[in-house]
Amino acid sequence: MVALDINEHRLSSGAWLGKLKGATGPLVGLLALCIFLSFSTDTFLSVRNGLNILDQITVLGIMAVGMTFVILIGGIDLSVGSALALAMMVMGWTANVAGLPLPVGIAFALIASAVSGLIVGLLVTQFRVPAFIATLAMMSAARGVANMITDGQQIVGFPDWFMMLAIDRHFGVMTATVFLMLAVVLAAWLFLHFRSEGRMLYAVGGNPEVARLAGINVPLVTIAVYVVSAVLAGLAGIVLAARLDSVQPSSGLGYELDTIAAVVIGGTSLSGGAGGIGGTLIGVLIIGVLRNGLNLLNVSPFLQQVIIGIVIVLAVGAETIRRRRA
């Protein structure tokens, strides 16, 4: 008989310590990186630079939340960058070509990204296609559709209020897009820690068969997770469009790698069942601070890719060693 308490809304003190312990390494790494950059550059510790870092990680932060859900259930999603581009192009075409109000375009964009996630979820659960292959196929298909919408052309110019979402600093501190990212992160954290549905993700990632025997509808959970991941990628695309005041089908290239990297660096296990939003936020900050610091140090963009690759390998290696010793 399998006993699995998925209705527990409060973590035990031991579980809380486990969560904190899993994010301790990335947090120490982030602090060490900040200390190093504060001595290496004159502008890193300035308020303006700190706010710029927050602005720069909004897109990655929103996408990383969805990717955390996917990796928690033991999946992978290579299509988030293309889902982002698809949502951007649908919004741009609906608002600037079809002439509908921009909020309507945003709604259609989120629906389009949700459909892409639904297709992936159905491929994985109903047709038993490996997640890597299913999302790889969607990465190509969604990118192709995004190019077809405007024949590969970009769309420029949106209402001023939309652009100001990424420019106007409320209370002189944060933009609306940063507030949106923080709201998404907080909602995801609360969902994973205080909702039984959130605990289901850990159960499915830990052992799908045990989760099924415990009464969890594993296929439904899997489909829902891929839909949420795609919708958050679409939302990130809308945020990116506000920052750029334009949309283009080539947007989001390589974003899936940065997103996966942020989640893995944050301590979420690629095998599923372990990790959380707190660690992911730290991983996003590490990538944001690292890119910002390397730019301040005038490091070549090509060398930056090498350095970030090394950081990913070190993070995965550290996680593997920690799990072996646990």
Side-chain angles (χ1 to χ4, degrees), residues 101-278:
L102 184 56
V104 175
I106 292 175
F108 275 111
L110 295 178
I111 291 172
S113 58
V115 170
S116 70
L118 177 62
I119 294 173
V120 168
L122 291 174
L123 288 174
V124 171
T125 58
Q126 303 304 312
F127 296 93
R128 307 299 180 185
V129 178
F132 181 88
I133 302 300
T135 57
L136 186 64
M138 181 53 65
M139 179 177 71
S140 178
R143 182 73 61 182
V145 173
N147 277 281
M148 289 170 59
I149 291 174
T150 59
D151 196 24
Q153 302 300 311
Q154 67 173 349
I155 297 176
V156 180
F158 292 100
D160 290 339
W161 66 264
F162 181 66
M163 184 174 60
M164 293 305 295
L165 294 176
I167 296 178
D168 189 20
R169 297 193 183 278
H170 298 275
F171 310 109
V173 180
M174 289 187 289
T175 62
T177 53
V178 172
F179 277 117
L180 176 61
M181 180 197 70
L182 295 178
V184 170
V185 169
L186 177 60
W189 185 86
L190 292 173
F191 172 76
L192 288 179
H193 287 82
F194 297 102
R195 296 291 299 179
S196 59
E197 295 86 353
R199 305 306 302 165
M200 289 181 184
L201 303 190
Y202 289 96
V204 172
N207 192 317
E209 181 60 20
V210 171
R212 184 188 69 81
L213 294 174
I216 297 175
N217 190 333
V218 175
L220 181 60
V221 170
T222 302
I223 292 172
V225 164
Y226 279 104
V227 170
V228 170
S229 177
V231 169
L232 289 177
L235 182 61
I238 294 168
V239 170
L240 182 60
R243 292 192 62 195
L244 301 177
D245 193 32
S246 66
V247 296
Q248 52 188 354
S250 61
S251 297
L253 286 172
Y255 277 34
E256 56 280 337
L257 300 180
D258 281 352
T259 306
I260 294 172
V263 176
V264 172
I265 290 172
T268 298
S269 174
L270 284 171
S271 60
I277 296 299

Side-chain angles (χ1 to χ4, degrees), residues 5 16 24 27 43 60 74 87 91 100 115 126 140 169 186 210 247 265 284 308 317 323:
D5 184 9
W16 274 107
T24 298
L27 180 58
T43 58
L60 178 61
M91 182 192 73
L100 296 176
V115 170
Q126 303 304 312
S140 178
R169 297 193 183 278
L186 177 60
V210 171
V247 296
I265 290 172
V284 169
I308 292 177
R323 288 172 62 86

